[in-house]
Amino acid sequence: MTERTRFDLSTADLPTAWFNIVPDMVGAGMHPLPPLHPGTREPVSPDMLAPLFPPALIEQEMTGEQWVDIPGEVLDIYRLWRPTSLFRAARLERALETPARIYFKYEGSSPAGSHKPNTAIAQAFYNKQAGVRRMSTETGAGQWGSSLAMACRFFDLECLVFMVKASFEQKPYRRVFMETFGAEVRPSPSSTTEAGKKILEAHPDSTGSLGIAISEAIEVAATNEDTNYSIGSCLSHVLLHQTVVGLEAQAQMEMAGDRPDVVVGCVGGGSNYAGLAYPFMAGKLRGDTPDMRFLATEPAACPTLTKGRFAYDFGDTAQMTPLLPMYTLGHDFVPAPVHAGGLRYHGDSPTLSLLVRDGFMEAVAYTQNEIFEAAVLFAHTQGIVPAPESAHAIRGAIDEAIAAREAGQERVVLLGLSGHGNFDMQAYDDYLNHRLPEVEFDDRDLVASMASVPDVPIA
Ligand SMILES: Cc1ncc(COP(=O)(O)O)c(C=O)c1O
């Protein structure tokens, strides 16, 4: 009998509500901490967020409800590519000679090439509904900017993208992709905002960071009545929208007749990994699947979860956002320009950070050459050239499969493959021609960048 390697749902099986993990965290005795106003240090109230976000998204950011209905207009667009496939990576398993069974949920089949449209479509919809004319945002790898550019076009909104300069230079075709949908793209730091100008004065050669690009995008939204800000990761409403991924994966793992022993993903701000992991995490928090493991992967050049500190810090460099309780390397930290641009963020989602701090999730960091070696093996066996960000998760899954082989154990690995790398050919060229430096984090940088973290007590 031929082995089944692909598990597809029909469009009728598309989830109709997003899943919120917070009630399960509370049920397990955890206490998600509120974001704080940077001046008063009081919990942020909805009206403080109103200059940036529409009411529906503010409500979703703070909701304690377990399920949030997905609007019909959003579902109609999701159906252009959702449900996405779950695959069994049988050819990779054979190459590794492992008794492990590796499944991957592939989000690279979306029009923009990653999981990012799952929230871009929802955010554009709610902003249009609230009468907004233009969206401003940041992008690291270009995947998020591409997704929001497409979503804004669908809902007839203008779109302004601040693209981290390192990526702007490494990935010109991502810029053209965004421009094809009518977006305006500026390299960040730019001289078009006060935040950008300040950085350029101090560091004229700055390669930028997500923290800086966020400051520029927020400044435009805060100073223009007709413009709202949109964020591609980290905040709770973004993670919520991504849970369609995990809800589908749960149904598909049932079709496969398997249950994951370990769920692996890459973490920039946490959205693709939380989207896949949280529906499964609920089982662990409820005590139904206490042995299920969760493994977050990140770059050694920006090791937020493995070397950062759990503290209240700003989400951006210019200190415009509320203080978020999260693992951080300090909001001043500018990571080395590694190719996984979407993982170069100093902070992480507050809920995901808490799950790591309280021991429900493990984290591991890899260098560039380690992840590209895994990416090329994946391409050779499964045919997909992964995004450098997603290659971190592949490295994690391969290491789990090798550990299973060495222990002579079966192990079911569920891997989140967040995007394809078809726009990342410069990165692959650098790897194949041995031009990739093994960028390691210098602990002395941490001491300097952590000095900027405000001194706010944390429970
Ligand atoms: C393909 C891909 N994966 C992962 C990420 C990391 O973001 P997040 O942690 O929000 O999923 C990005 C960010 O740009 C990305 O483009």
Side-chain angles (χ1 to χ4, degrees), residues 248-273:
E248 287 176 7
Q250 270 187 320
Q252 289 163 311
M253 287 301 297
E254 268 175 39
M255 282 170 90
D258 247 337
R259 202 206 72 176
D261 294 309
V262 55
V263 182
V264 188
C266 67
V267 175
S271 76
N272 87 86
Y273 185 46

Side-chain angles (χ1 to χ4, degrees), residues 114-116 141 143-144 232-234 266-273 342-343 387 389-390 418-419:
S114 76
H115 62 294
K116 298 281 182 183
Q143 291 268 19
W144 168 241
S233 188
C234 203
C266 67
V267 175
S271 76
N272 87 86
Y273 185 46
L343 307 187
E389 291 81 6
S390 320
S418 54

Side-chain angles (χ1 to χ4, degrees), residues 50 81 83 92 94 120 134 154 159 166 176 179 196 217-218 268 312 364 367 383 401 424 442 456 458:
W81 73 92
L92 175 64
R94 280 199 287 277
R134 181 174 68 155
F154 285 172
C159 184
V176 179
E179 289 171 348
I218 290 182
Y312 266 110
V364 61
T367 61
D424 295 273
D442 186 336
V456 180
I458 199 152

